[in-house]
Amino acid sequence: MRAMKLNERSVAHYALSDSPADHAGFLRTWGGAGTPPTPSGTGRRCWFVLKGNLLFSFESREGRAPLSLVVLEGCTVELAEAPVPEEFAFAIRFDAPGVRPHLLAADGPAAQEAWVKALSRASFGYMRLVVRELESQLRDARHSLNLHRHSSWKAITSRCKPQASDHWSAGLENGHSLSRDCSPTALVEEGGSRPAGRGLAEWELQGPASLLLGRGQSPVSPETSCFSTLHDWYGQEIMELRRVWLQSTQGSQPECEERDRP
Amino acid sequence: MRYNEKELQALSRQPAEMAAELGMRGPKKGSVVKRRLVKLVVNFLFYFRTDEAEPVGALLLEHCRVAQEEPSGFSISFLEDPERKYHFECCSEEQCQEWMAALRRASYEFMRRSLIFYRNEIQKMTGKDPLEQFGISEEARFQLSGLKA
């Protein structure tokens, strides 16, 4: 039986990289080649790291190469009847027939609970569900915001680029948040911090802003590090916010005025 | 590194985001193009001999780079060795673009960033944290600080 290939070097590199671990800690394990099919003894204590839907184990916290990988798809995680006398055990059981469950044990009840929770939510499908839900919530939020604006500021929106609200919300490649203080100084600081993200942009790849761009929602790419372009682009948000405020304080129809650039 | 082949084989049988017969060439110098059934399932790209049920191999798609090659092909390479490329040949430019887009979205890391981005946007617009309904707002994996500066 030919062994299946896997890009192991890349997998190990990913395991050791500084991308955020979703959970980590010591667990006792009974899995692995050469171990008996039924768990016995106290198990082997390893350092486990959960990244996304991948559970890695290392000999120690300083381990330079993962010992094992468990892919957390098509599985359920449940508290286990410990092999005597092990406490705080839990099992990863796979839906697919013929795939042996993994038995693991934590050091205490809190750790056990935290691990079961983290592993239960580790699947790609779960993450995708949450992302899609948020995507639709964002669409709804934008839609109602657009409706509100459109009815109030017809004169302004006719002068702004279409889907103006998408401009200022689309562009946060690395999730930097625009500060609540929308003064020009705050913008300068935000703008200045953006280029730092660019070094990794190539490998960080198509972040959500790019996805939105791909749908043609902004003629200005948030990936441009040209500050004046970014400044203009964020500047639109300021102008619109200023008009809302003006309208609400003056209680009058907004006039079609020349947009003055900050 | 130990991993359970049966696990991955079972995964390869799950519903795929994308599946097609493509030309595939490994990263080794002098490797030739072979027809493979290529299947994208979650963050793994499986490839099969066209007449076999079990995959020849799998590529984990985290920290990978997808680049266009020639008119209708693309390559996948990884962060630790960008010159080591897996090449794929599509039957059309359209198919190539479709695959590239799907592969770029296929990583868990991409989804994590999307989630953090959307969460942040929704918080800005509505003042509410959309993750609270899921009971996961405190989890480290979803924090803004999890993104690289």
Side-chain angles (χ1 to χ4, degrees):
Chain A
M1 190 73 170
R2 285 183 300 254
M4 196 177 103
K5 293 187 213 174
L6 179 66
N7 55 333
E8 284 188 47
R9 207 175 350 164
S10 306
V11 175
H13 188 265
Y14 173 64
L16 291 162
S17 75
D18 56 4
S19 65
D22 296 302
H23 205 64
F26 285 104
L27 293 170
R28 273 158 297 133
T29 173
W30 286 264
T35 57
T38 50
S40 61
T42 50
R44 183 182 178 182
R45 189 175 161 86
C46 295
W47 177 254
F48 279 82
V49 175
L50 173 66
K51 280 195 182 186
N53 57 353
L54 306 172
L55 180 65
F56 296 99
S57 72
F58 296 83
E59 186 143 337
S60 68
R61 276 183 92 145
E62 297 77 35
R64 296 307 301 152
L67 290 175
S68 72
L69 161 66
V70 179
V71 180
L72 297 160
E73 293 291 332
C75 61
T76 47
V77 185
E78 50 197 38
L79 302 178
E81 286 306 302
V84 181
E86 292 312 316
E87 290 179 288
F88 317 123
F90 53 96
I92 304 172
R93 288 185 196 286
F94 291 88
D95 304 333
V99 184
R100 205 209 288 190
H102 288 270
L103 192 66
L104 298 162
D107 289 340
Q112 178 192 37
E113 191 187 330
W115 271 106
V116 171
K117 243 177 154 183
L119 293 171
S120 303
R121 292 167 175 158
S123 75
F124 203 83
Y126 177 83
M127 181 59 111
R128 190 155 45 191
L129 209 97
V130 178
V131 170
R132 282 187 185 155
E133 170 64 23
L134 293 200
E135 221 170 13
S136 90
Q137 280 187 26
L138 184 58
R139 251 201 312 273
D140 291 345
R142 280 186 184 160
H143 185 65
S144 49
L145 195 69
N146 268 341
L147 283 177
H148 169 77
R149 294 172 148 216
H150 199 74
S151 61
S152 307
W153 307 335
K154 286 211 165 79
I156 293 162
T157 52
S158 69
R159 294 214 50 172
C160 288
K161 290 169 186 164
Q163 298 175 319
S165 64
D166 288 329
H167 285 186
W168 50 267
S169 50
L172 302 173
E173 183 182 72
N174 291 320
H176 285 299
S177 116
L178 277 182
S179 61
R180 289 268 161 213
D181 167 22
C182 289
S183 68
T185 8
L187 277 184
V188 170
E189 280 156 11
E190 283 294 325
S193 72
R194 287 182 63 79
R198 294 253 317 138
L200 281 162
E202 200 183 331
W203 290 100
E204 288 298 300
L205 296 183
Q206 316 297 308
S210 306
L211 201 61
L212 291 161
L213 282 179
R215 297 183 199 148
Q217 288 185 2
S218 169
V220 177
S221 166
E223 286 165 316
T224 56
S225 52
C226 171
F227 179 65
S228 64
T229 316
L230 285 170
H231 188 63
D232 276 1
W233 190 42
Y234 287 128
Q236 286 179 39
E237 175 177 17
I238 305 307
M239 298 315 296
E240 288 169 22
L241 285 167
R242 202 185 285 175
R243 288 179 202 283
V244 178
W245 180 78
L246 279 174
Q247 194 204 2
S248 63
T249 52
Q250 291 165 6
S252 58
Q253 284 298 319
E255 285 161 3
C256 189
E257 30 183 314
E258 190 65 37
R259 244 186 332 166
D260 54 293
R261 299 257 157 183
Chain B
M1 185 181 70
R2 279 193 321 265
Y3 59 94
N4 190 335
E5 227 176 77
K6 284 212 178 90
E7 249 177 64
L8 283 175
Q9 283 170 348
L11 186 60
S12 77
R13 290 191 280 271
Q14 293 311 304
E17 183 81 20
M18 300 269 289
E21 196 182 299
L22 303 176
M24 180 177 176
R25 184 158 59 88
K28 287 206 182 93
K29 209 174 161 115
S31 58
V32 292
V33 177
K34 294 171 184 162
R35 300 301 296 171
R36 291 286 181 257
L37 171 63
V38 181
K39 207 172 162 189
L40 173 62
V41 181
V42 299
N43 48 351
F44 282 88
L45 189 68
F46 294 99
Y47 47 100
F48 302 72
R49 285 191 183 83
T50 50
D51 56 350
E52 288 181 358
E54 301 298 355
V56 173
L59 298 176
L60 173 70
L61 297 169
E62 300 296 334
H63 287 182
C64 76
R65 180 192 190 188
V66 181
Q68 180 135 25
E69 306 282 342
E70 327 127 44
S72 55
F74 61 89
S75 65
I76 300 176
S77 58
F78 297 91
L79 188 56
E80 81 283 358
D81 195 349
E83 293 313 305
R84 197 162 181 274
K85 294 179 175 181
Y86 295 81
H87 290 264
F88 297 85
E89 289 172 7
C90 302
C91 64
S92 68
E93 171 72 14
E94 196 189 332
Q95 188 189 42
C96 181
Q97 291 303 323
E98 229 186 307
W99 271 94
M100 285 171 63
L103 290 166
R104 284 177 178 144
R105 287 191 309 260
S107 70
Y108 200 99
E109 295 293 318
F110 174 85
M111 281 206 301
R112 191 206 309 275
R113 284 199 303 281
S114 302
L115 183 144
I116 293 173
F117 172 79
Y118 291 134
R119 178 196 193 183
N120 191 248
E121 288 299 300
I122 291 168
Q123 259 173 321
K124 273 178 15 181
M125 294 180 82
T126 67
K128 288 192 218 138
D129 179 359
L131 292 191
E132 269 173 25
Q133 67 177 112
F134 291 98
I136 52 177
S137 48
E138 295 310 307
E139 288 196 11
R141 63 167 92 199
F142 302 135
Q143 302 311 319
L144 210 56
S145 53
L147 296 174
K148 292 187 185 176

